[in-house]
Amino acid sequence: MHMIRDVPSEWIERAAQASGLEAELSRRGFLKLSVCALSGLALLGLGDAFGANAPLVILDNAKGVILADPTRCVGCQRCELACTEFNDGRAQPSLSRIKIARAVNFGPGGPTGGDAMHGDWGDGLIVQGVCRQCPHPVPCATACPQNAIKDDPQTGARVVDPAACVGCRLCQRACPWDMLSFDEQAGVATKCFLCHGRPKCVEACPAAALRYVPWRDLTRDGGMLRSGLSAPSPENAKACLDCHVPAGKTAVK
């Protein structure tokens, strides 16, 4: 298992106190923080702790987004190969930022979908998994304790800075659509950054099942794969207080 590098002890302690895990934390205990879904700043009680001097940080929307058409997808997975060959220099679909393999057999819901199953064992529909380039607050970026997920200057897409990523995988846990990958070889998370405005998956698709279009909010389209809740770092929690006020509190200007 990949070792976590340089995670601030203060962040671990503050997150532990907020979640009730105040005992000494091993790496296993630290990762447990991402599994124990914290249902928001109200439960953390951070409003009282930080007061009204929190900075307001808003991430601009990306310029574009990949739009997937499941009715056209033939499940060839060429998009996954194109993604990893361009970004990683190797053909490794498990690292792909677009997810096809997990939906080929049973669809995103897995083999328990019954009559509603997609994929080869269901109605034949292959539902592609694409990064939705979430608007603010961006779940993966908010969960990162190192602020390693930033805006790509060309596209505005959120991209993981491998030099800053410590491999804690909190961003993976935070994404409601499970769209981040983890490079075990490099020990860092990876995500779609739209290939600097020319997505290779779109170019490689032989069925025109993928399109690169101007950004639109896709976060309400389709169901989430999981709750996607995670413990934000104290610094990120501060930045949220101006517009995301804990329940029962009023913003102080």
Side-chain angles (χ1 to χ4, degrees):
M1 185 177 289
H2 174 67
M3 296 297 292
I4 297 176
R5 310 188 306 269
D6 303 326
V7 177
S9 59
E10 179 185 0
W11 183 87
I12 299 177
E13 292 170 1
R14 300 288 290 276
Q17 292 172 0
S19 59
L21 301 174
E22 299 184 51
E24 290 187 8
L25 287 178
S26 61
R27 181 181 186 279
R28 181 184 183 88
F30 169 70
L31 292 179
K32 187 177 180 182
L33 292 176
S34 66
V35 179
C36 297
L38 303 181
S39 60
L41 295 179
L43 292 181
L44 295 178
L46 294 177
D48 292 332
F50 297 128
N53 297 319
L56 180 61
V57 177
I58 302 291
L59 293 180
D60 291 334
N61 293 332
K63 296 177 182 177
V65 69
I66 296 171
L67 195 62
D69 183 354
T71 65
R72 288 177 173 266
C73 182
V74 296
C76 67
Q77 299 177 242
R78 292 185 189 181
C79 55
E80 291 181 321
L81 289 173
C83 175
T84 61
E85 287 171 358
F86 175 75
N87 289 291
D88 308 296
R90 58 190 192 266
Q92 187 175 342
S94 63
L95 278 182
S96 177
R97 289 90 179 150
I98 182 169
K99 313 293 184 183
I100 306 296
R102 70 185 185 189
V104 167
N105 291 325
F106 306 105
T112 59
D115 294 338
M117 261 189 334
H118 298 310
D120 289 344
W121 290 87
D123 59 11
L125 193 70
I126 307 240
V127 181
Q128 311 99 309
V130 294
C131 178
R132 303 181 185 225
Q133 304 299 338
C134 298
H136 176 86
V138 183
C140 59
T142 301
C144 179
Q146 298 295 313
N147 291 321
I149 300 179
K150 305 171 182 177
D151 290 352
D152 181 276
Q154 289 183 252
T155 64
R158 292 69 167 102
V159 58
V160 178
D161 178 0
C165 177
V166 298
C168 66
R169 305 196 193 204
L170 286 178
C171 56
Q172 281 188 297
R173 180 64 186 86
C175 179
W177 297 278
D178 194 21
M179 284 309 304
L180 281 92
S181 300
F182 191 81
D183 188 339
E184 296 284 355
Q185 181 176 318
V188 296
T190 64
K191 70 174 297 295
C192 174
F193 64 98
L194 302 174
C195 298
H196 302 302
R198 296 189 61 185
K200 302 308 173 185
C201 58
V202 175
E203 295 178 359
C205 181
L210 300 170
R211 289 186 294 149
Y212 181 52
V213 300
W215 185 88
R216 65 187 70 174
D217 189 355
L218 301 179
T219 58
R220 290 179 172 82
D221 296 346
M224 297 181 180
L225 296 182
R226 57 188 180 193
S227 64
L229 297 176
S230 185
S233 68
E235 292 76 17
N236 287 342
K238 288 181 187 179
C240 291
L241 288 177
D242 277 353
C243 54
H244 304 285
V245 182
K249 304 290 184 181
T250 56
V252 179
K253 299 296 182 181

